[in-house]
Amino acid sequence: MALINSAAENNITFVRPAYFIISGFIGIPNIRYYFVFLCFIYILSVVGNTLVMIVITLDHMLRSPKYIAVFNLTFTDLLSSSALVPKVVDIFLFNHYYISYNDCLTFMFFCFTLIFMQAFNLVVLSFDRVMAIMYPLHYQMRVTHKLILSLIAFFWLLAITLILIAVGLLTRLSFCQSVIIQSYYCDHGPMYRLGCNDATPNYIFAVLTIVLVLGFPLAFIVGSYCCIGYSLSKISTFRERVKAFKTCTGHLSLVAIYFLPVIFVYAFWPVIHPNARIINLSIATVLPPMLNPIIYVLQTQEIKESLRRLLKARVQAKLEVFRFKPL
């Protein structure tokens, strides 16, 4: 109320627009080919993540705390792709650039919640790896199903709380001039910069959120691997070190895929052309959900063995049906 009264005293009319215009890909040459590429990525993401979720669900040997975290990662990736890619394709391929005020905030809520959870899932997996390598004899006692589920629930709550606050702060802004969002979806930064009244709280919270969602996970993961490296240095034989480190390669690949593109874009933000920046950010958002299941299938021995067991059981079941089928 104090903020609204302050605006009224300064003769500022509070304007809540009926709609926003998302203009991120407008004017980029041959952009329709990029939307075909996005559709291809989306299909692979849905198939890959669904397959990993089915394997983990069907195989009782993959009911360990680690694979609860992996299941949550694939579940988040599936929802993230489904929340973003179909809507982006609908907006730009079918020229539905106008999006209502409430729909835009809802779109932002789901996209950012799931993007935040991708980073937090990497923290949970990093915690699992550092505990497995530093305390191999006590791993099963320390890393329980309850602990992993509690961590996942906490991070879901944190992600939802952060984006609810961000959306709440946006509702206090008056959009009295432009309603054109210079992004490919309802992005928080380009939206709050359109506000006519004081957006300082939005800016401060955006910086705080970046620290919590990007800075903290990255610092925790780097610290975890420093601890892992120290533990591996104590192992006497080189072969055992390599064997232990191989259990981390899948997770390290996920970390690189998630963080490196984002760091690259923001590090070279001033010199990158706006169109290239938007395309790079969109790729950095949609590519990890597609690559994550591929990496885990290729680099995780347990999932490969589980796939072999499930396929073998399915083939045997079909042979049994064929054997006893009456002529």
Side-chain angles (χ1 to χ4, degrees):
M1 287 300 293
L3 290 168
I4 296 174
N5 292 335
S6 176
E9 290 171 4
N10 291 305
N11 296 322
I12 297 174
T13 303
F14 188 85
V15 178
R16 176 169 291 180
Y19 58 84
F20 288 101
I21 300 172
I22 301 179
S23 64
F25 292 123
I26 297 176
I28 299 178
N30 302 316
I31 194 62
R32 288 181 177 270
Y33 297 109
Y34 181 65
F35 298 139
V36 174
F37 173 67
L38 284 183
C39 291
F40 176 71
I41 287 179
Y42 176 63
I43 292 169
L44 287 180
S45 176
V46 170
V47 172
N49 285 295
T50 303
L51 178 63
V52 173
M53 289 169 64
I54 290 172
V55 169
I56 294 174
T57 303
L58 293 180
D59 194 338
H60 294 280
M61 309 235 352
L62 298 180
R63 299 291 174 85
S64 63
K66 172 187 173 181
Y67 285 101
I68 292 176
V70 173
F71 184 92
N72 188 60
L73 175 69
T74 56
F75 177 68
T76 304
D77 286 343
L78 178 63
L79 292 184
S80 177
S81 296
S82 300
L84 184 63
V85 176
K87 186 64 178 176
V88 169
V89 171
D90 175 64
I91 290 170
F92 294 103
L93 191 60
F94 300 104
N95 302 325
H96 297 155
Y97 305 122
Y98 292 81
I99 182 170
S100 71
Y101 180 88
N102 290 330
D103 287 349
C104 194
L105 294 183
T106 303
F107 186 25
M108 177 194 296
F109 170 80
F110 283 106
C111 288
F112 273 98
T113 299
L114 295 165
I115 290 170
F116 290 175
M117 273 308 300
Q118 288 177 339
F120 292 146
N121 283 329
L122 296 177
V123 172
V124 177
L125 288 169
S126 178
F127 171 77
D128 174 82
R129 287 301 82 208
V130 73
M131 294 298 289
I133 291 176
M134 291 189 69
Y135 307 102
L137 299 179
H138 303 284
Y139 170 74
Q140 293 184 345
M141 294 175 58
R142 297 191 180 202
V143 183
T144 61
H145 291 77
K146 183 179 179 180
L147 176 61
I148 293 296
L149 287 171
S150 299
L151 283 174
I152 291 171
F154 169 76
F155 282 127
W156 272 107
L157 184 62
L158 177 60
I160 291 170
T161 302
L162 288 173
I163 192 58
L164 281 177
I165 295 173
V167 170
L169 289 172
L170 279 176
T171 60
R172 57 168 286 279
L173 294 180
S174 176
F175 299 91
C176 58
Q177 295 177 359
S178 176
V179 293
I180 299 175
I181 301 173
Q182 299 289 338
S183 185
Y184 61 98
Y185 70 114
C186 293
D187 198 349
H188 178 260
M191 280 187 70
Y192 83 72
R193 294 188 189 98
L194 297 176
C196 298
N197 50 335
D198 183 22
T200 303
N202 302 77
Y203 171 76
I204 293 173
F205 189 75
V207 173
L208 176 63
T209 301
I210 289 172
V211 172
L212 287 174
V213 175
L214 290 178
F216 162 71
L218 190 57
F220 182 87
I221 291 167
V222 170
S224 297
Y225 277 97
C226 288
C227 295
I228 288 172
Y230 176 73
S231 296
L232 292 179
S233 67
K234 292 183 176 181
I235 299 176
S236 57
T237 63
F238 177 76
R239 181 178 294 179
E240 290 297 320
R241 287 181 206 156
V242 172
K243 183 179 178 182
F245 185 74
K246 277 185 177 179
T247 64
C248 303
T249 54
H251 178 257
L252 277 174
S253 301
L254 302 187
V255 171
I257 289 168
Y258 183 85
F259 285 104
L260 289 182
V262 176
I263 292 172
F264 173 81
V265 170
Y266 284 105
F268 295 96
W269 187 277
V271 297
I272 298 178
H273 190 278
N275 289 344
R277 188 190 308 150
I278 289 172
I279 290 177
N280 286 338
L281 278 175
S282 64
I283 291 175
T285 305
V286 302
L287 212 56
M290 182 201 74
L291 293 176
N292 289 350
I294 297 173
I295 288 169
Y296 255 95
V297 169
L298 293 178
Q299 296 192 7
T300 307
Q301 191 63 30
E302 294 95 331
I303 290 185
K304 288 193 287 188
E305 290 177 357
S306 177
L307 275 171
R308 291 193 196 100
R309 286 196 299 269
L310 291 173
L311 289 173
K312 184 178 179 181
R314 186 173 179 83
V315 170
Q316 288 179 345
K318 285 188 175 182
L319 288 175
E320 290 294 327
V321 170
F322 180 76
R323 183 185 302 173
F324 293 104
K325 187 177 180 180
L327 296 176

